[in-house]
Amino acid sequence: MWIVITLPLVVGAVSSGWTGFGWGLLSAALCGGIPAAAIFVGVRKGWFGDRHIGDRRQRPKLVVSVLVLVVLALLLLVRLGAPPVSVACVAIMLATLGVVVPVTLVWKISFHTAVAAGAVVMLAAVLPALPVYAVGAAVVALIGWARTQLRDHTPAQALAGAAAGAVATWATLAILL
């Protein structure tokens, strides 16, 4: 969740300074902060077994709520005149969810690697691409390795998540920017 919260802040600040950071704050709160709080409360109240929502049967209501919040963030950014890169940053979240959510209903694709790989592609659009891709590939690989070591995913699920996030982000950016 920390990637979903920090990505819009970084993208906004890098591309538009303090104004962009403000847009990022709105995006971070709606797309990451509120869902993180809902997960925290849900685990404490017993609605979810763990913070990773390992039981796929517990995911649909949370996923629908996250989708609603991401769409709300996107609508607010567009309606209030946010810079295109800030809009694109939230649009990639929606695109990634659009790819990963249907898959997770039948197979436990890794949201973690999808989000991480998408963040790398997004950051490479606003920062020098070569170092972002070099460091980002290592981080995504490390996340994938960790998810398999925790036995939360198979290597195929981690790799599929990374591919889904990267492709969804690349396609969204190609259309919007």
Side-chain angles (χ1 to χ4, degrees):
M1 195 59 72
W2 65 271
I3 294 174
V4 174
I5 293 170
T6 58
L7 181 66
L9 299 171
V10 172
V11 168
V14 166
S15 64
S16 305
W18 285 107
T19 302
F21 184 83
W23 291 113
L25 196 56
L26 172 66
S27 302
L30 289 171
C31 299
I34 293 172
I39 291 169
F40 177 79
V41 169
V43 170
R44 303 260 330 209
K45 291 195 175 257
W47 302 335
F48 306 125
D50 59 69
R51 67 184 178 93
H52 296 293
I53 323 296
D55 183 350
R56 283 195 332 255
R57 295 170 297 172
Q58 296 173 343
R59 291 183 178 184
K61 287 181 184 176
L62 177 66
V63 169
V64 169
S65 299
V66 170
L67 282 168
V68 167
L69 288 165
V70 172
V71 168
L72 175 62
L74 191 56
L75 292 172
L76 283 171
L77 291 175
V78 170
R79 183 73 175 130
L80 297 173
V85 72
S86 293
V87 173
C89 189
V90 173
I92 67 166
M93 294 179 198
L94 185 59
T96 301
L97 286 169
V99 172
V100 176
V101 166
V103 175
T104 201
L105 297 176
V106 294
W107 190 57
K108 196 176 173 195
I109 191 169
S110 174
F111 274 89
H112 288 83
T113 58
V115 169
V120 170
V121 174
M122 181 71 228
L123 288 172
V126 297
L127 294 169
L130 186 59
V132 168
Y133 281 128
V135 172
V139 170
V140 172
L142 183 61
I143 291 170
W145 174 82
R147 302 302 293 156
T148 60
Q149 292 301 303
L150 292 170
R151 299 200 189 286
D152 283 335
H153 292 288
T154 65
Q157 292 166 337
L159 186 60
V167 170
T169 300
W170 177 85
T172 303
L173 293 176
I175 292 166
L176 295 179
L177 299 180

